[in-house]
Amino acid sequence: MSDKSNMEDLYQDPIATAEKAAAKIAVLTGKKSHDVALVMGSGWISATEAFGKPSHEFPVTDLPGFPAPTVEGHGGVIRSYEIQGANGTINALVFLGRTHLYEGKGIEPVVHGVRTAVKAGCKVVVLTNACGGINRGYKVGQPVIIRDHISMTATSPLIGANFVDLTDLYSKRIRELVKKEDPSLSEGVYVHWRGPAYETPAEINMLRTMGADLVGMSTVPEAIAAHALGAEILGISLVTNAAAGVTGEKLSHTEVMEAGKAAAGRMGELLGKVLHKL
Ligand code: HPA
């Protein structure tokens, strides 16, 4: 399917296209439904090694509505895993890579993966990302649980009189569960920055004053879209660099990717433990 024809349905009817994509996942995996979805951000992909071998793997472009990936380190692949949980086998749908707002394709492709996952049956959506640390107490390589967010993009995935409550967007129940697994984990407020340019030091100072701890270019629209369809959300950020101006160092995508890779073992172990408890 060409990228163009693959995308037309999505812009016309995003929810129906997510339903079609979910139906195709059921065909490709032979599984009627999945339970949990994980979106693996920059540098998180090798963390999936902790889940064992996937039962199925296919490119996102096999499904209706998914554009071909454009960012280095964002794979554009979906995997299905069978993971042993506390109450039997969990079918996990893992997205290696995502579409970002800064790619200029609009908001629909950004949230299509999580909408597809929820339509495929996922009741919990785990969103991971790489981010800059605004909080001076954070270290590079540290995972931080997202407690809340601030959207600086003024873009919502929702259209119409859809007044969704976001009071408990990042599920308190799941955050408590994760902290029980690893009490050393901090919680922070994540800012969604459109990008693709990183922030200026002045913008980072502004964001810190607003109460932000972390800044990145993803996660927020996906969290809202998946929650609006009824899923519980867990967000985990990996601090891959100090945000602009915090140390005076320049920011580079290569360093972001390297910090991600270096922390992948710990991230995988953490996600594996959490999945067992869900
Ligand atoms: N800012 C925005 N997005 C990011 C950063 C950052 O410092 N690091 C990784 N993603």
Side-chain angles (χ1 to χ4, degrees), residues 40-47 73 130 238 240 256-257 259-264 267:
M40 311 305 281
S42 304
W44 280 80
I45 289 176
S46 41
L238 174 68
T240 52
V256 166
M257 298 299 300
K261 272 184 207 144
M267 302 299 97

Side-chain angles (χ1 to χ4, degrees), residues 11 67 70 99-110 194-196:
Y11 294 116
T70 52
T99 300
H100 299 81
L101 210 48
Y102 61 70
E103 291 173 54
K105 299 184 174 111
I107 190 76
E108 299 304 348
V110 173
R194 181 194 180 278

Side-chain angles (χ1 to χ4, degrees), residues 130-133 193 197-199 204 215-217 238 240-244 251 256:
C131 73
W193 191 258
Y198 291 116
E199 309 71 35
I204 292 300
V215 59
M217 301 176 193
L238 174 68
T240 52
N241 57 279
L251 275 58
V256 166

Side-chain angles (χ1 to χ4, degrees), residues 168-253:
D168 188 32
L169 177 58
Y170 300 94
S171 162
K172 186 148 198 228
R173 180 188 81 84
I174 304 182
R175 283 189 282 125
E176 294 303 322
L177 212 143
V178 177
K179 280 191 290 179
K180 241 192 194 163
E181 271 320 310
D182 187 345
S184 74
L185 287 171
S186 307
E187 287 191 337
V189 174
Y190 176 91
V191 173
H192 184 203
W193 191 258
R194 181 194 180 278
Y198 291 116
E199 309 71 35
T200 65
E203 285 162 346
I204 292 300
N205 282 336
M206 171 190 77
L207 296 171
R208 187 184 296 109
T209 308
M210 287 165 69
D213 299 298
L214 311 154
V215 59
M217 301 176 193
S218 68
T219 303
V220 164
E222 292 152 288
I224 295 172
H227 182 71
L229 293 179
E232 262 189 301
I233 311 296
L234 168 66
I236 311 181
S237 289
L238 174 68
V239 179
T240 52
N241 57 279
V246 173
T247 61
E249 293 288 314
K250 287 198 177 184
L251 275 58
S252 94
H253 183 58

Side-chain angles (χ1 to χ4, degrees), residues 101-141:
L101 210 48
Y102 61 70
E103 291 173 54
K105 299 184 174 111
I107 190 76
E108 299 304 348
V110 173
V111 295
H112 185 48
V114 294
R115 279 181 171 152
T116 296
V118 179
K119 293 297 177 187
C122 296
K123 304 247 173 334
V124 174
V125 174
V126 180
L127 301 168
T128 68
N129 64 50
C131 73
I134 297 177
N135 186 319
R136 296 183 201 279
Y138 293 163
K139 295 196 169 58
V140 169

